[in-house]
Amino acid sequence: MEDVEVPHRTFDHLLTGFVDSEATHLALFYKEGKVAHPGDPFGNVFAWLWDTRRDVAVSAFAQLLATARDNAPEGEELRLDDLISGLRFALHRSRLSDAGEFDDVERTLRAKMPLHFGGRTDL
């Protein structure tokens, strides 16, 4: 695969659009209390970000959660637990799906998500 160099601002725009699209798609099919699978493309991007820019991976996950929650059908409440469970399925093609690796991902996301939601812990 050939690498492509992208300016930082353009990268931010591409990532934002990608995450919003994946979140909107996720929200269309989400049923409260079920696993919220963010999709394999999101898993692939998240795994790469986790290895290259972990803070950006965490921010992308927070954006995914916020946008999916905003676009969930009326009466459906997407929970952090459901999205973390779904992320494990989306990471199946990466080393992050291994138990020890995923435990680190989950621990980090649970610790950092309140910071992205004004300190809220009821996610």
PDB file of all heavy atoms in Angstrom, residues 23-47:
ATOM      1  N   ALA A  23     -20.751   7.211  12.406  1.00  0.00           N
ATOM      2  CA  ALA A  23     -21.645   7.375  13.553  1.00  0.00           C
ATOM      3  C   ALA A  23     -23.105   7.469  13.119  1.00  0.00           C
ATOM      4  O   ALA A  23     -23.987   6.879  13.747  1.00  0.00           O
ATOM      5  CB  ALA A  23     -21.254   8.620  14.351  1.00  0.00           C
ATOM      6  N   THR A  24     -23.351   8.204  12.047  1.00  0.00           N
ATOM      7  CA  THR A  24     -24.719   8.334  11.542  1.00  0.00           C
ATOM      8  C   THR A  24     -25.245   6.985  11.074  1.00  0.00           C
ATOM      9  O   THR A  24     -26.390   6.613  11.362  1.00  0.00           O
ATOM     10  CB  THR A  24     -24.759   9.374  10.398  1.00  0.00           C
ATOM     11  OG1 THR A  24     -24.270  10.617  10.898  1.00  0.00           O
ATOM     12  CG2 THR A  24     -26.158   9.551   9.867  1.00  0.00           C
ATOM     13  N   HIS A  25     -24.413   6.229  10.396  1.00  0.00           N
ATOM     14  CA  HIS A  25     -24.800   4.888   9.941  1.00  0.00           C
ATOM     15  C   HIS A  25     -25.067   3.980  11.140  1.00  0.00           C
ATOM     16  O   HIS A  25     -26.059   3.246  11.171  1.00  0.00           O
ATOM     17  CB  HIS A  25     -23.706   4.304   9.042  1.00  0.00           C
ATOM     18  CG  HIS A  25     -24.090   3.016   8.418  1.00  0.00           C
ATOM     19  ND1 HIS A  25     -23.679   1.801   8.909  1.00  0.00           N
ATOM     20  CD2 HIS A  25     -24.871   2.746   7.347  1.00  0.00           C
ATOM     21  CE1 HIS A  25     -24.190   0.835   8.165  1.00  0.00           C
ATOM     22  NE2 HIS A  25     -24.906   1.384   7.213  1.00  0.00           N
ATOM     23  N   LEU A  26     -24.205   4.021  12.125  1.00  0.00           N
ATOM     24  CA  LEU A  26     -24.380   3.233  13.346  1.00  0.00           C
ATOM     25  C   LEU A  26     -25.718   3.560  14.001  1.00  0.00           C
ATOM     26  O   LEU A  26     -26.474   2.664  14.393  1.00  0.00           O
ATOM     27  CB  LEU A  26     -23.230   3.517  14.316  1.00  0.00           C
ATOM     28  CG  LEU A  26     -23.393   3.070  15.763  1.00  0.00           C
ATOM     29  CD1 LEU A  26     -23.252   1.559  15.868  1.00  0.00           C
ATOM     30  CD2 LEU A  26     -22.361   3.746  16.641  1.00  0.00           C
ATOM     31  N   ALA A  27     -26.025   4.837  14.113  1.00  0.00           N
ATOM     32  CA  ALA A  27     -27.249   5.273  14.789  1.00  0.00           C
ATOM     33  C   ALA A  27     -28.507   4.781  14.083  1.00  0.00           C
ATOM     34  O   ALA A  27     -29.503   4.477  14.735  1.00  0.00           O
ATOM     35  CB  ALA A  27     -27.265   6.796  14.892  1.00  0.00           C
ATOM     36  N   LEU A  28     -28.455   4.667  12.766  1.00  0.00           N
ATOM     37  CA  LEU A  28     -29.627   4.222  12.008  1.00  0.00           C
ATOM     38  C   LEU A  28     -30.092   2.829  12.418  1.00  0.00           C
ATOM     39  O   LEU A  28     -31.284   2.528  12.379  1.00  0.00           O
ATOM     40  CB  LEU A  28     -29.320   4.213  10.508  1.00  0.00           C
ATOM     41  CG  LEU A  28     -29.233   5.557   9.806  1.00  0.00           C
ATOM     42  CD1 LEU A  28     -28.780   5.359   8.361  1.00  0.00           C
ATOM     43  CD2 LEU A  28     -30.571   6.276   9.857  1.00  0.00           C
ATOM     44  N   PHE A  29     -29.146   1.974  12.785  1.00  0.00           N
ATOM     45  CA  PHE A  29     -29.465   0.576  13.057  1.00  0.00           C
ATOM     46  C   PHE A  29     -29.391   0.214  14.530  1.00  0.00           C
ATOM     47  O   PHE A  29     -29.589  -0.942  14.891  1.00  0.00           O
ATOM     48  CB  PHE A  29     -28.524  -0.326  12.240  1.00  0.00           C
ATOM     49  CG  PHE A  29     -28.676  -0.116  10.769  1.00  0.00           C
ATOM     50  CD1 PHE A  29     -27.755   0.653  10.061  1.00  0.00           C
ATOM     51  CD2 PHE A  29     -29.759  -0.628  10.078  1.00  0.00           C
ATOM     52  CE1 PHE A  29     -27.899   0.873   8.706  1.00  0.00           C
ATOM     53  CE2 PHE A  29     -29.921  -0.416   8.725  1.00  0.00           C
ATOM     54  CZ  PHE A  29     -28.986   0.337   8.030  1.00  0.00           C
ATOM     55  N   TYR A  30     -29.121   1.188  15.381  1.00  0.00           N
ATOM     56  CA  TYR A  30     -28.943   0.899  16.802  1.00  0.00           C
ATOM     57  C   TYR A  30     -30.282   0.678  17.494  1.00  0.00           C
ATOM     58  O   TYR A  30     -31.248   1.383  17.260  1.00  0.00           O
ATOM     59  CB  TYR A  30     -28.208   2.055  17.498  1.00  0.00           C
ATOM     60  CG  TYR A  30     -28.053   1.807  18.970  1.00  0.00           C
ATOM     61  CD1 TYR A  30     -27.188   0.813  19.423  1.00  0.00           C
ATOM     62  CD2 TYR A  30     -28.787   2.513  19.897  1.00  0.00           C
ATOM     63  CE1 TYR A  30     -27.058   0.554  20.774  1.00  0.00           C
ATOM     64  CE2 TYR A  30     -28.662   2.254  21.247  1.00  0.00           C
ATOM     65  CZ  TYR A  30     -27.798   1.280  21.683  1.00  0.00           C
ATOM     66  OH  TYR A  30     -27.684   1.015  23.016  1.00  0.00           O
ATOM     67  N   LYS A  31     -30.307  -0.343  18.344  1.00  0.00           N
ATOM     68  CA  LYS A  31     -31.449  -0.617  19.215  1.00  0.00           C
ATOM     69  C   LYS A  31     -30.930  -0.599  20.642  1.00  0.00           C
ATOM     70  O   LYS A  31     -29.927  -1.257  20.952  1.00  0.00           O
ATOM     71  CB  LYS A  31     -32.071  -1.987  18.913  1.00  0.00           C
ATOM     72  CG  LYS A  31     -32.625  -2.104  17.519  1.00  0.00           C
ATOM     73  CD  LYS A  31     -33.862  -1.273  17.342  1.00  0.00           C
ATOM     74  CE  LYS A  31     -34.461  -1.484  15.966  1.00  0.00           C
ATOM     75  NZ  LYS A  31     -35.035  -0.312  15.411  1.00  0.00           N
ATOM     76  N   GLU A  32     -31.591   0.161  21.495  1.00  0.00           N
ATOM     77  CA  GLU A  32     -31.139   0.346  22.868  1.00  0.00           C
ATOM     78  C   GLU A  32     -30.868  -0.983  23.569  1.00  0.00           C
ATOM     79  O   GLU A  32     -31.641  -1.928  23.461  1.00  0.00           O
ATOM     80  CB  GLU A  32     -32.183   1.135  23.664  1.00  0.00           C
ATOM     81  CG  GLU A  32     -31.676   1.585  25.000  1.00  0.00           C
ATOM     82  CD  GLU A  32     -32.609   2.582  25.669  1.00  0.00           C
ATOM     83  OE1 GLU A  32     -33.373   3.258  24.968  1.00  0.00           O
ATOM     84  OE2 GLU A  32     -32.550   2.661  26.895  1.00  0.00           O
ATOM     85  N   GLY A  33     -29.723  -1.025  24.264  1.00  0.00           N
ATOM     86  CA  GLY A  33     -29.348  -2.210  25.017  1.00  0.00           C
ATOM     87  C   GLY A  33     -28.626  -3.264  24.189  1.00  0.00           C
ATOM     88  O   GLY A  33     -28.245  -4.302  24.710  1.00  0.00           O
ATOM     89  N   LYS A  34     -28.452  -3.014  22.922  1.00  0.00           N
ATOM     90  CA  LYS A  34     -27.746  -3.950  22.039  1.00  0.00           C
ATOM     91  C   LYS A  34     -26.325  -3.464  21.806  1.00  0.00           C
ATOM     92  O   LYS A  34     -25.988  -2.315  22.056  1.00  0.00           O
ATOM     93  CB  LYS A  34     -28.463  -4.068  20.688  1.00  0.00           C
ATOM     94  CG  LYS A  34     -29.910  -4.482  20.787  1.00  0.00           C
ATOM     95  CD  LYS A  34     -30.042  -5.900  21.257  1.00  0.00           C
ATOM     96  CE  LYS A  34     -31.509  -6.284  21.257  1.00  0.00           C
ATOM     97  NZ  LYS A  34     -31.754  -7.565  21.847  1.00  0.00           N
ATOM     98  N   VAL A  35     -25.483  -4.338  21.300  1.00  0.00           N
ATOM     99  CA  VAL A  35     -24.121  -3.955  20.945  1.00  0.00           C
ATOM    100  C   VAL A  35     -24.197  -2.939  19.810  1.00  0.00           C
ATOM    101  O   VAL A  35     -24.960  -3.105  18.865  1.00  0.00           O
ATOM    102  CB  VAL A  35     -23.312  -5.196  20.504  1.00  0.00           C
ATOM    103  CG1 VAL A  35     -21.985  -4.799  19.891  1.00  0.00           C
ATOM    104  CG2 VAL A  35     -23.093  -6.131  21.688  1.00  0.00           C
ATOM    105  N   ALA A  36     -23.419  -1.879  19.939  1.00  0.00           N
ATOM    106  CA  ALA A  36     -23.383  -0.825  18.920  1.00  0.00           C
ATOM    107  C   ALA A  36     -22.098  -0.995  18.110  1.00  0.00           C
ATOM    108  O   ALA A  36     -21.056  -0.482  18.491  1.00  0.00           O
ATOM    109  CB  ALA A  36     -23.443   0.543  19.590  1.00  0.00           C
ATOM    110  N   HIS A  37     -22.178  -1.736  17.026  1.00  0.00           N
ATOM    111  CA  HIS A  37     -21.006  -2.031  16.195  1.00  0.00           C
ATOM    112  C   HIS A  37     -20.684  -0.817  15.323  1.00  0.00           C
ATOM    113  O   HIS A  37     -21.476  -0.449  14.465  1.00  0.00           O
ATOM    114  CB  HIS A  37     -21.306  -3.245  15.322  1.00  0.00           C
ATOM    115  CG  HIS A  37     -20.107  -3.836  14.660  1.00  0.00           C
ATOM    116  ND1 HIS A  37     -19.230  -3.101  13.902  1.00  0.00           N
ATOM    117  CD2 HIS A  37     -19.652  -5.105  14.634  1.00  0.00           C
ATOM    118  CE1 HIS A  37     -18.285  -3.894  13.435  1.00  0.00           C
ATOM    119  NE2 HIS A  37     -18.523  -5.112  13.868  1.00  0.00           N
ATOM    120  N   PRO A  38     -19.509  -0.208  15.534  1.00  0.00           N
ATOM    121  CA  PRO A  38     -19.176   0.986  14.753  1.00  0.00           C
ATOM    122  C   PRO A  38     -18.701   0.693  13.332  1.00  0.00           C
ATOM    123  O   PRO A  38     -18.453   1.616  12.575  1.00  0.00           O
ATOM    124  CB  PRO A  38     -18.063   1.648  15.563  1.00  0.00           C
ATOM    125  CG  PRO A  38     -17.420   0.530  16.295  1.00  0.00           C
ATOM    126  CD  PRO A  38     -18.518  -0.476  16.567  1.00  0.00           C
ATOM    127  N   GLY A  39     -18.571  -0.558  12.972  1.00  0.00           N
ATOM    128  CA  GLY A  39     -18.166  -0.933  11.621  1.00  0.00           C
ATOM    129  C   GLY A  39     -16.681  -1.212  11.515  1.00  0.00           C
ATOM    130  O   GLY A  39     -15.864  -0.618  12.222  1.00  0.00           O
ATOM    131  N   ASP A  40     -16.346  -2.140  10.650  1.00  0.00           N
ATOM    132  CA  ASP A  40     -14.945  -2.507  10.449  1.00  0.00           C
ATOM    133  C   ASP A  40     -14.081  -1.347   9.956  1.00  0.00           C
ATOM    134  O   ASP A  40     -12.937  -1.219  10.381  1.00  0.00           O
ATOM    135  CB  ASP A  40     -14.833  -3.696   9.493  1.00  0.00           C
ATOM    136  CG  ASP A  40     -15.313  -4.994  10.125  1.00  0.00           C
ATOM    137  OD1 ASP A  40     -15.649  -4.997  11.332  1.00  0.00           O
ATOM    138  OD2 ASP A  40     -15.347  -6.012   9.405  1.00  0.00           O
ATOM    139  N   PRO A  41     -14.599  -0.485   9.057  1.00  0.00           N
ATOM    140  CA  PRO A  41     -13.761   0.648   8.652  1.00  0.00           C
ATOM    141  C   PRO A  41     -13.354   1.521   9.851  1.00  0.00           C
ATOM    142  O   PRO A  41     -12.193   1.916   9.961  1.00  0.00           O
ATOM    143  CB  PRO A  41     -14.632   1.421   7.660  1.00  0.00           C
ATOM    144  CG  PRO A  41     -15.522   0.370   7.074  1.00  0.00           C
ATOM    145  CD  PRO A  41     -15.831  -0.544   8.243  1.00  0.00           C
ATOM    146  N   PHE A  42     -14.309   1.786  10.757  1.00  0.00           N
ATOM    147  CA  PHE A  42     -13.948   2.567  11.943  1.00  0.00           C
ATOM    148  C   PHE A  42     -12.918   1.798  12.772  1.00  0.00           C
ATOM    149  O   PHE A  42     -11.956   2.384  13.269  1.00  0.00           O
ATOM    150  CB  PHE A  42     -15.165   2.903  12.806  1.00  0.00           C
ATOM    151  CG  PHE A  42     -14.785   3.734  13.999  1.00  0.00           C
ATOM    152  CD1 PHE A  42     -14.674   5.113  13.885  1.00  0.00           C
ATOM    153  CD2 PHE A  42     -14.512   3.142  15.222  1.00  0.00           C
ATOM    154  CE1 PHE A  42     -14.286   5.886  14.976  1.00  0.00           C
ATOM    155  CE2 PHE A  42     -14.120   3.910  16.315  1.00  0.00           C
ATOM    156  CZ  PHE A  42     -14.010   5.280  16.192  1.00  0.00           C
ATOM    157  N   GLY A  43     -13.100   0.498  12.917  1.00  0.00           N
ATOM    158  CA  GLY A  43     -12.137  -0.313  13.666  1.00  0.00           C
ATOM    159  C   GLY A  43     -10.745  -0.238  13.083  1.00  0.00           C
ATOM    160  O   GLY A  43      -9.759  -0.117  13.814  1.00  0.00           O
ATOM    161  N   ASN A  44     -10.648  -0.297  11.760  1.00  0.00           N
ATOM    162  CA  ASN A  44      -9.338  -0.211  11.106  1.00  0.00           C
ATOM    163  C   ASN A  44      -8.678   1.144  11.363  1.00  0.00           C
ATOM    164  O   ASN A  44      -7.485   1.212  11.673  1.00  0.00           O
ATOM    165  CB  ASN A  44      -9.465  -0.435   9.598  1.00  0.00           C
ATOM    166  CG  ASN A  44      -9.831  -1.853   9.257  1.00  0.00           C
ATOM    167  OD1 ASN A  44      -9.610  -2.779  10.032  1.00  0.00           O
ATOM    168  ND2 ASN A  44     -10.419  -2.042   8.096  1.00  0.00           N
ATOM    169  N   VAL A  45      -9.439   2.211  11.223  1.00  0.00           N
ATOM    170  CA  VAL A  45      -8.894   3.546  11.446  1.00  0.00           C
ATOM    171  C   VAL A  45      -8.540   3.730  12.917  1.00  0.00           C
ATOM    172  O   VAL A  45      -7.475   4.254  13.245  1.00  0.00           O
ATOM    173  CB  VAL A  45      -9.885   4.634  10.960  1.00  0.00           C
ATOM    174  CG1 VAL A  45      -9.440   6.027  11.391  1.00  0.00           C
ATOM    175  CG2 VAL A  45     -10.043   4.561   9.443  1.00  0.00           C
ATOM    176  N   PHE A  46      -9.423   3.279  13.808  1.00  0.00           N
ATOM    177  CA  PHE A  46      -9.159   3.407  15.242  1.00  0.00           C
ATOM    178  C   PHE A  46      -7.871   2.674  15.621  1.00  0.00           C
ATOM    179  O   PHE A  46      -7.042   3.212  16.360  1.00  0.00           O
ATOM    180  CB  PHE A  46     -10.337   2.862  16.054  1.00  0.00           C
ATOM    181  CG  PHE A  46     -10.143   2.998  17.535  1.00  0.00           C
ATOM    182  CD1 PHE A  46     -10.562   4.137  18.200  1.00  0.00           C
ATOM    183  CD2 PHE A  46      -9.544   1.983  18.266  1.00  0.00           C
ATOM    184  CE1 PHE A  46     -10.381   4.275  19.576  1.00  0.00           C
ATOM    185  CE2 PHE A  46      -9.344   2.107  19.637  1.00  0.00           C
ATOM    186  CZ  PHE A  46      -9.768   3.251  20.301  1.00  0.00           C
ATOM    187  N   ALA A  47      -7.688   1.464  15.130  1.00  0.00           N
ATOM    188  CA  ALA A  47      -6.483   0.684  15.459  1.00  0.00           C
ATOM    189  C   ALA A  47      -5.221   1.399  14.978  1.00  0.00           C
ATOM    190  O   ALA A  47      -4.218   1.447  15.698  1.00  0.00           O
ATOM    191  CB  ALA A  47      -6.574  -0.715  14.845  1.00  0.00           C
TER     192      ALA A  47
END
